[in-house]
Every structure is written in structure tokens, then in C-alpha cells.
Amino acid sequence: MDPAMQLVTQWLDEQPQDMWLAFVLNTNHDIAVDALRWMIRSGRCDRAVALAMYWALGAGFYVQYADRSEVPAYAQLGFNLIKKIERLFLAGEFPASDLGYDPSRELLVYADVPVVSPVPAALKSPIPGRQIDLASLTAGWENGVPAFIWTELDARGSVRA
């Protein structure tokens, strides 16, 4: 794991699922892929967080590829994580919680991409439940992480503004 993301995962390890969902919806997924993988592997990631992550990683983009060999090199980490989430979600591996998530808006993001490998219906359906106050949870964050983490990452030279 990227040493910079270890700081993020240490923080996430102490947070409730509300904050995990806020992180997924707010972070830069290109640089946080190690933290996202850690979340999936943790055994604590709930269905709403997993579904939000699936769509935030651009699931609609990847429907144009039949398999990993067709995916451009720059997008393979995202593809791998999306496929893992898809498998685990469909197998019922993510626990339910009181959090909800509705992917309806995300379904439109890549609507013009040709569909070779469609998203399973279960991953298009909303999960009813409590909605988080994203603005409150992420107040004071910088570049998709709490300001104190960004300051530390910046001091380490681990990130570029």
C-alpha cells in the first residue's frame, strides 16, 4: 500500500460507516485506490458504501469492455476493484446497515458508452436507508480527505496540490 494511504486507512479504521460513505463520495478515486481496496477487504464495508464506491469508481465507463485485457492500462486498477465489488455485492458479502444509497444519477454519467458487459440489475437498484449529510461530514476537508490528513500528506511530500 502507498505509505500516504496508510495514514488515510488508519483514520478510516476509526470511523463509522457514515464517514466511509462520505470519503467514497468525496475523495479522488485515482489516488485513493489503495484506501478503497483496504475498505473492501476490511470486512466492515457495508452495502451502501460498496455500492457508492462501485459507481464512484466509474462502473458505467467499464461496461464497454468484455474483459480486463481490453481495458487501458491506466484504468485497470479501477476495473479490478469494480469487478471485485460486483462479485462480492452479488454474493451478499457486504453487510446491511441503516445507510442508504441511490445510484440513479450515476446511471446517466456514461449513458453514451456502448454496453458490452452490462451492470447487473442489483447494482442499479437503490438501497433504502438513512442519507448522510455529506456537506457536514466533509466540512473543512481538502482534496477529498480531512484537512489534518492533507496537511500531513503534504508535509511528507506524498501529494501534489
Side-chain angles (χ1 to χ4, degrees):
M1 175 182 291
D2 177 338
M5 286 300 107
Q6 286 179 340
L7 181 61
V8 174
T9 59
Q10 288 169 353
W11 171 77
L12 282 168
D13 197 32
E14 300 171 356
Q15 302 305 311
Q17 291 296 294
D18 290 35
M19 196 59 81
W20 282 34
L21 184 55
F23 177 77
V24 166
L25 296 173
N26 198 57
T27 196
N28 178 333
H29 304 100
D30 294 329
I31 64 170
V33 73
D34 283 343
L36 299 174
R37 273 197 308 250
W38 174 87
M39 292 168 74
I40 294 301
R41 292 177 181 155
S42 74
R44 291 182 40 218
C45 185
D46 73 23
R47 290 179 61 77
V49 173
L51 186 60
M53 187 184 305
Y54 181 80
W55 287 103
L57 285 164
F61 170 77
Y62 294 99
V63 298
Q64 64 189 304
Y65 304 109
D67 61 56
R68 187 179 191 275
S69 66
E70 297 175 1
V71 179
Y74 72 87
Q76 288 186 355
L77 288 176
F79 178 83
N80 293 344
L81 188 51
I82 281 172
K83 289 303 181 182
K84 182 171 188 156
I85 294 167
E86 190 175 291
R87 280 190 311 275
L88 294 171
F89 194 92
L90 294 173
E93 295 293 323
F94 296 111
S97 75
D98 68 334
L99 281 180
Y101 177 74
D102 185 353
S104 300
R105 286 186 285 174
E106 300 302 325
L107 300 176
L108 304 173
V109 174
Y110 292 101
D112 59 336
V113 172
V115 178
V116 174
S117 180
V119 170
L123 288 133
K124 293 180 181 179
S125 300
I127 295 174
R130 182 174 53 81
Q131 302 299 303
I132 64 169
D133 182 350
L134 185 60
S136 291
L137 289 173
T138 60
W141 283 26
E142 294 182 44
N143 299 297
V145 294
F148 78 92
I149 291 177
W150 181 258
T151 300
E152 178 64 24
L153 295 176
D154 191 38
R156 293 180 183 188
S158 300
V159 293
R160 292 183 301 242

